[in-house]
Amino acid sequence: MDELIKRAGRDLASSKNVVALTGAGISVESGIPPFRGKGGIWEKIDPMEFAHIDTFMKEPGKVWNVLLKDMKEIIDKAKPNDAHKGLAELEKLGILKAVITQNVDGLHQKAGNRDVIEFHGNFAWQRCLECNKVCETREIDLTQIPPRCECGGIYRPECVFFGEMIPPHHLIRSRDLASTCDIMLVVGTSALVQPAAYMPVMAKQSGAKIIEINPEKTPMTKSVSDYIIMGQAGRIISAIVKEIKQQL
Ligand code: NAD
Ligand code: ZN
């Protein structure tokens, strides 16, 4: 492991064009459960059912009760951990160009990253299904479920549900970054949700090195990653940043 951290430090220190792709795993140490893996929401409910747009449109109250109410409480309290902070530091060092995240928790921006592509939107905002008014999630009243706008319309989070399209401008920018970076850091993603999971494949095909950080192997570990550093993102990314600083 220490050898791999040194290797990642060397690889990253010599690059100015690194892109990170992050998933739910990077926020686990901030207290936000992932979908899959140990302690994941998947153990209790099937996100493919409850995080699907068809279920939300049919039974918004049920989706708010089972998934969104808890998400609001957890995300409201969450703070960036060492992994988010480490990526922000890599940006300040001029090594990391952008973060493509599948997360909706806003923690990369809170940590200080300025170029963050939120592939699946951001849970911080809600939109009324009737009048399209947008308001902050922390301001909505959850004493009635589903929460409603003053016009009577139901609020939905400004996130991409399963069954919905990724905003095309995010997809175009992410593809551009993936096909031109020289290293892609893939942190805490099970690499199962498309089209995000295709970004490392695209980067690899364009000649980039792929460094994966995850306590478990994923479908891309063998075929796409150059190497995987297995463990918790917070400790690993802090150690890599320390290593880089010694080399600069
Ligand atoms: P996932 O839930 O499918 O997989 C999580 C991955 O993180 C697993 O591979 C797991 O081994 C790894 N992991 C667990 N703890 C870790 C740690 N401490 N450090 C590093 N890795 C760790 O996540 P996904 O691939 O992002 O796909 C799930 C979808 O659910 C995404 O599209 C995302 O939008 C959404 N989601 C977002 C949040 C959030 O915003 N924080 C939380 C749950 C789900
Ligand atoms: Zn309204």
Side-chain angles (χ1 to χ4, degrees), residues 151-162:
C151 83
I154 291 168
Y155 276 123
R156 63 154 289 168
E158 285 272 78
C159 301
V160 178
F161 281 90
F162 288 119

Side-chain angles (χ1 to χ4, degrees), residues 49-238:
E49 181 191 346
F50 284 99
H52 200 288
I53 189 62
D54 294 348
T55 316
F56 184 81
M57 295 314 278
K58 252 186 262 155
E59 296 178 276
K62 193 165 154 190
V63 174
W64 266 103
N65 264 324
V66 174
L67 184 67
L68 303 179
K69 214 165 68 174
D70 288 352
M71 258 176 92
K72 172 173 156 43
E73 246 167 61
I74 293 169
I75 291 179
D76 273 354
K77 279 191 290 206
K79 293 197 172 65
N81 65 50
D82 287 347
H84 301 104
K85 290 178 197 162
L87 290 186
E89 214 160 334
L90 285 183
E91 188 190 281
K92 278 198 206 101
L93 291 170
I95 292 171
L96 183 71
K97 198 165 159 190
V99 178
I100 305 168
T101 188
Q102 298 168 80
N103 297 342
V104 296
D105 54 33
L107 292 180
H108 286 298
Q109 295 92 322
K110 273 197 187 153
N113 276 106
R114 283 165 307 174
D115 195 352
V116 182
I117 299 164
E118 293 178 306
F119 223 71
H120 295 153
N122 193 319
F123 194 75
W125 301 95
Q126 303 286 325
R127 186 162 47 81
C128 168
L129 287 176
E130 292 297 326
C131 71
N132 273 322
K133 187 183 127 184
V134 172
C135 80
E136 281 196 76
T137 302
R138 59 184 170 156
E139 279 172 7
I140 59 168
D141 175 15
L142 285 188
T143 49
Q144 59 161 352
I145 296 285
R148 288 180 189 272
C149 165
E150 61 252 33
C151 83
I154 291 168
Y155 276 123
R156 63 154 289 168
E158 285 272 78
C159 301
V160 178
F161 281 90
F162 288 119
E164 289 190 302
M165 245 178 73
I166 306 289
H169 59 289
H170 286 345
L171 202 52
I172 291 167
R173 175 103 206 285
S174 302
R175 281 185 181 152
D176 275 355
L177 287 165
S179 56
T180 54
C181 67
D182 44 44
I183 299 181
M184 184 172 272
L185 265 182
V186 183
V187 189
T189 174
S190 59
L192 289 170
V193 179
Q194 290 294 0
Y198 189 62
M199 297 303 142
V201 177
M202 197 175 231
K204 177 89 177 174
Q205 278 172 346
S206 311
K209 193 174 275 182
I210 313 295
I211 308 173
E212 206 181 350
I213 300 174
N214 198 311
E216 290 171 43
K217 289 188 177 157
T218 72
M220 59 172 271
T221 304
K222 224 172 159 190
S223 50
V224 182
S225 302
D226 285 80
Y227 53 99
I228 178 169
I229 311 179
M230 291 184 77
Q232 306 228 307
R235 197 180 79 70
I236 292 173
I237 294 180
S238 304

